[in-house]
Each structure stands twice: as C-alpha cells, then as structure tokens.
C-alpha cells in the first residue's frame, strides 16, 4: 500500500482484511518473510490508523509512514529547519499507538524530504547545501527520540529534488547525498549526547569501537566559528582527525582534510548552511559504557535500578525527557527519586515506552529466577518491564498498579 489513506479513510477495517490476506499468501510462499504496512501519508488520523491496527491485530511485522517538512509553496529555509524537530516528535505519536497495542515492531519513516512535492520548492532549496543541513538536523532529532528504527529519503534521483542529479546521465551527488554517504560511512554505532551553547550550531556524535565521529551543523545564514570540548571522559586518544565538509564553499559540495588538535578541535570556521563531520580514530577512545562505581555487578545478587552503567544517554540508558526530575543520586537525564518506605533507597520513576537502562554484570552459567521491585500507576498489560542479556530478550513482566514509593512485583 502506498498513501491510500483517502481511499480507505472511511473503511480501514476492509484495508486490514486485504492486508492480512496478502500477508498470508506471502507467508505461504516464504514463512520467514516480514510483511508490514502502511506507507501512510497521514498516520495521525486516529480513526484511520486505529481502525487498521485494530483490524490486523498482531499480524503485522513492521509499520511505515511518510512525512515531509512542508506541504506549502515557498516555505523558507529556517522554517524548514525548525520543522525537523516536529517531524521527529511525530514518530513518538506513531510509536505510542503501536506500543499501546503491545506491538513492539520496527517503525520505518520510509519517505521524507523538505517538501512533499517538487513544485512547492520555488527557491530550489532541495538542490542547495541547506538540504544537507535539513537531513542532518532531521537525523539528529529522530535518533534523539529513539522512536523510529529506519529512515528512507525521497527520492534517489531527478532534476528537481533527488539526492542525485541525473543530468547527462552523470548522476552526480548533490549536497544531501554527500551527507548521506558520510552517515553511512561514519555514523553507525552508539549515539552520544552533544550540547551546544549557540542555537545556530547543532551537533551530535557517534562512537563505534575505536572510531568517534562528531557532527557539527551550521543552520544559520552566516559563517560560525566553533570551538569544541569533550566531557565525561569522551576524549579520543589520537591527536589527528579527518574533517569532512559539506557546504556551498566546497568544489562539487564536498571536501575533506586531515587535521591535528590539542585538547579538542578549536576555531573551526563553518560556512553558512553547512555540515561538518569530524572523524577520530585511535587505539582507544575514552568514555563508552562501563560499570557504575567501576566494577561489574556479580550475580546472583541484587542490582539497584539507579546503578545503571556510566556512558550517558543512548549508550548506558535512554530517557525521553531532559534532566533528572527527581533530583536525586545522579545528575543526568534519568528521573530518580527517594522511596517513601523504610530502607527503600531510591527509585527510577516516570518511565516511558522504549526507555531503557544497561548494567554490566558477571553471570555464571546456570538457571536463575528474576524478581523485580516495581510499581505502575495504571497497571495495564501494556505496562511491563523487559529483561535482556546481550541483546537477547529473556522475558517481560507485567507491572501491577500500586504506590510508586512502595510496591513489590515478581
């Protein structure tokens, strides 16, 4: 199905029936095949999406939808940049609909671009360096939300808004294609939290083994001078790095150079509407996931929820809000409060779907029973804790309703 919202908006149950029939036939031919939908243009229409999901039940392997920065003619570049955060937050709405039905399935945003049709881009922004900035901002916000599992751009090649220019059958890369190539080559790994003091420059980073890649995004109309620093032991051991640049100042939109630094790269002059990717490699890179307090927890034994590993957001934990709302024990983005019962210590509170915490443990071979001390305000079947070891799911436990400060649940 592809953007057939209008055809079935009043009868999504029929569409669900068709989907299940097609899925069953495909699974008869290959039982391992994954079949999903909906390639929806407007998945936020409650009656349409709810009706379809109610009809398919658990017989769907992934969900997909489309989203664009603007559907209006002549939208300016700054408004398009601002749209990236809203576009990413929309993924949370779609994810919540899936999770509320117990559907922990992949979510794909399988069409995105600055404008939804070529003729609305009257200033040719999708053929400018701003297209790389827009893609970089969108990727940053989408990963920070951690709700979508895959991102696909529209479209590959045409004369107006494709990533490649097919003129003279050359299929030369436009600015956004250069950034996508850099993302494929250098931005796979653990996402690292980055903060900036100037709203004109945004950033994010990725760590993968001995490689550390820092993305800097100048979304302004002026050249920006950028200084960087590393915190919480996130410092590469090498003093050399490769600077990749996507901007209108570069020949054919892209350039790279080898650089050296002392302490951290300083005085990086970024042209207007540009994206830089700084790639560090070395024998070791500081930071990363490591046990809280320095030593792995030994099992059998007790693990306190608030003693999740060091490493920061996206590496040792993911939390959907900013700051520690409880203000206790640790100074990051996990909400930690004291408990109200005697000897209870601390509790991790206000959890949302897809939030997680990671713990480094030593586990001798054998069989174990896992007991959890947990509580839920709502107490529905959708409120559950899932336990994994090395990425393999051991099981999930539904959490019963009870006071946050004191509740035991096995």
């Amino acid at each position: 199905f592809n953007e057939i919202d209008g055809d079935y908006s009043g009868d999504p149950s029929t569409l669900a029936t068709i989907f299940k029939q097609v899925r069953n036939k495909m699974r008869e031919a290959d039982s391992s095949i994954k079949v999903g939908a909906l390639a929806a243009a407007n998945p936020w229409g409650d009656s349409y999406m709810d009706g379809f999901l109610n009809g398919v039940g658990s017989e769907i392997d992934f969900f997909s939808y489309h989203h664009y920065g603007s559907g209006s003619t002549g939208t300016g570049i700054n408004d398009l940049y601002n749209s990236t955060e809203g576009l990413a937050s929309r993924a949370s709405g779609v994810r919540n609909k899936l999770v509320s039905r117990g559907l922990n399935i992949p979510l794909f945003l399988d069409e995105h671009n600055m404008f939804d049709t070529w003729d609305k881009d009257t200033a040719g922004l999708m053929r400018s360096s701003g297209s790389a900035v827009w893609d970089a901002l969108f990727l940053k916000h989408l990963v920070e939300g951690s709700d979508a599992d895959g991102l696909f751009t529209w479209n590959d090649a045409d004369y107006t808004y494709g990533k490649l220019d097919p003129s003279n059958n050359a299929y030369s890369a436009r600015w956004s294609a250069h950034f996508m190539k850099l993302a494929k080559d250098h931005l796979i790994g653990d996402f690292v939290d980055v903060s900036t003091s100037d709203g004109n420059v945004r950033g994010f980073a990725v760590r993968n083994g001995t490689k550390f890649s820092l993305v800097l995004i100048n979304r302004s109309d002026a050249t920006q001078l950028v200084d960087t620093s590393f915190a919480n032991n996130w410092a590469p051991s090498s003093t050399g790095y490769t600077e990749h640049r996507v901007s209108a100042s570069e020949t054919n939109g892209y350039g790279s150079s080898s650089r050296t630094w002392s302490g951290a790269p300083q005085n990086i002059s970024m042209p207007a509407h540009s994206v830089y990717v700084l790639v560090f490699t070395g024998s070791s890179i500081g930071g990363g996931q490591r046990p809280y307090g320095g030593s792995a927890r030994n099992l059998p034994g007790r693990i306190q929820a608030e003693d999740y590993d060091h490493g920061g957001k996206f590496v040792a934990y993911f939390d959907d809000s900013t700051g520690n709302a409880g203000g206790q024990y640790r100074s990051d983005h996990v909400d930690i409060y004291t408990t109200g019962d005697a000897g209870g210590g601390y509790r991790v509170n206000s959890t949302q779907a897809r939030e997680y915490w990671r713990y480094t443990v030593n586990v001798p071979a054998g069989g174990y029973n896992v007991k959890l001390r947990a509580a839920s305000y709502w107490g529905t079947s959708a409120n559950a804790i899932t336990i994994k070891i090395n990425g393999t799911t051991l099981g999930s436990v539904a959490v019963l309703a009870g006071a946050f400060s004191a509740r035991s649940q096995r």
Side-chain angles (χ1 to χ4, degrees):
F1 309 132
N2 182 59
E3 295 189 358
I4 56 175
D5 310 40
D7 297 327
Y8 289 93
S9 60
D11 190 15
S13 61
T14 296
L15 184 61
T17 299
I18 295 172
F19 170 81
K20 289 191 292 185
Q21 291 172 345
V22 172
R23 179 180 184 270
N24 290 340
K25 287 297 183 182
M26 294 175 70
R27 295 294 291 270
E28 286 178 9
D30 182 353
S31 60
S32 66
I33 196 170
K34 303 296 184 183
V35 186
L38 191 58
N42 181 24
W44 307 278
D46 287 341
S47 60
Y48 176 60
M49 185 173 174
D50 289 345
F52 176 78
L53 291 176
N54 291 339
V56 299
S58 61
E59 297 182 52
I60 183 171
D61 300 310
F62 62 86
F63 190 87
S64 66
Y65 72 102
H66 302 164
H67 209 174
Y68 289 84
S70 176
S72 302
T73 300
T75 302
I77 190 67
N78 286 320
D79 287 336
L80 286 166
Y81 290 163
N82 291 336
S83 74
T84 58
E85 192 164 359
L87 287 172
S89 67
R90 284 292 184 93
S92 298
V94 179
R95 172 62 67 185
N96 289 338
K97 283 184 176 293
L98 298 175
V99 171
S100 67
R101 291 168 168 80
L103 292 173
N104 292 306
I105 57 177
L107 174 62
F108 298 121
L109 176 49
D110 58 357
E111 273 193 29
H112 83 282
N113 210 324
M114 299 170 80
F115 290 89
D116 61 353
T117 60
W118 66 269
D119 54 326
K120 294 172 183 173
D121 184 13
T122 54
L125 298 177
M126 291 185 285
R127 302 188 303 278
S128 73
S129 62
S131 62
V133 173
W134 191 89
D135 279 342
L137 288 170
F138 191 18
L139 181 61
K140 166 185 166 63
H141 294 309
L142 195 69
V143 175
E144 284 176 341
S146 195
D147 287 302
D149 299 288
L151 177 65
F152 305 84
T153 187
W154 178 265
N155 60 14
D156 291 338
D158 69 12
Y159 296 99
T160 305
Y161 66 164
K163 300 299 181 186
L164 304 175
D165 182 356
S167 299
N168 301 318
N169 291 321
Y171 290 91
S172 56
R174 292 185 171 128
W175 286 273
S176 54
H178 288 306
F179 173 71
M180 288 295 182
K181 176 70 163 53
L182 290 172
K184 180 183 75 70
D185 291 344
H186 304 295
L187 303 182
I188 297 174
D190 292 323
F191 197 78
V192 181
D193 205 13
V194 171
S195 60
T196 58
S197 59
D198 188 334
N200 289 319
V201 178
R202 306 294 173 88
F204 64 94
V206 173
R207 181 183 187 272
N208 189 339
T210 60
K211 178 189 285 189
F212 182 91
S213 301
L214 173 63
V215 181
L216 300 173
I217 309 164
N218 180 4
R219 53 164 292 166
S220 75
D221 296 325
T223 297
Q224 300 291 332
L225 194 63
V226 180
D227 291 339
T228 67
S229 62
F230 298 102
N232 300 321
N233 296 318
W234 283 100
S237 60
S238 62
T239 58
Y241 68 96
T242 303
E243 179 184 271
H244 300 272
R245 303 176 299 274
V246 181
S247 82
S249 300
E250 300 294 330
T251 302
N252 297 321
Y254 168 75
S256 66
S257 304
S258 296
R259 307 289 194 196
T260 58
W261 59 281
S262 176
Q266 304 292 311
N267 300 318
I268 302 171
S269 180
M270 297 185 64
H273 307 290
S274 63
V275 180
Y276 279 31
V277 180
L278 313 184
V279 179
F280 306 83
T281 57
S283 58
S284 64
I285 297 178
Q289 184 182 346
R290 58 199 189 280
Y292 183 75
S295 300
R297 280 14 182 204
N298 293 315
L299 297 180
R302 176 179 294 179
I303 300 175
Q304 299 289 353
E306 65 273 14
D307 289 342
Y308 49 87
D309 283 357
H310 291 292
K313 189 174 180 180
F314 307 109
V315 176
Y317 69 86
F318 173 72
D319 193 280
D320 210 19
S321 60
T322 300
N324 179 352
Q328 301 294 315
Y329 197 65
R330 300 178 69 166
S331 57
D332 50 32
H333 301 297
V334 178
D335 303 322
I336 302 176
Y337 296 74
T338 56
T339 57
D341 54 336
Y346 300 98
R347 70 181 192 271
V348 175
N349 204 71
S350 306
T351 58
Q352 304 294 323
R354 295 179 52 94
E355 293 186 346
Y356 61 81
W357 310 270
R358 291 172 173 164
Y359 307 83
T360 300
V361 298
N362 294 320
V363 189
Y368 296 87
N369 292 321
V370 178
K371 293 185 178 181
L372 303 174
R373 183 172 180 266
S376 171
Y377 182 80
W378 294 276
T380 68
S381 59
N383 294 315
I385 296 175
T386 299
I387 301 172
K388 298 182 178 183
I389 290 184
N390 295 335
T392 299
T393 299
L394 300 182
S396 296
V397 178
V399 181
L400 303 181
F404 282 142
S405 60
R407 179 72 187 183
S408 294
Q409 170 67 31
R410 186 167 67 87

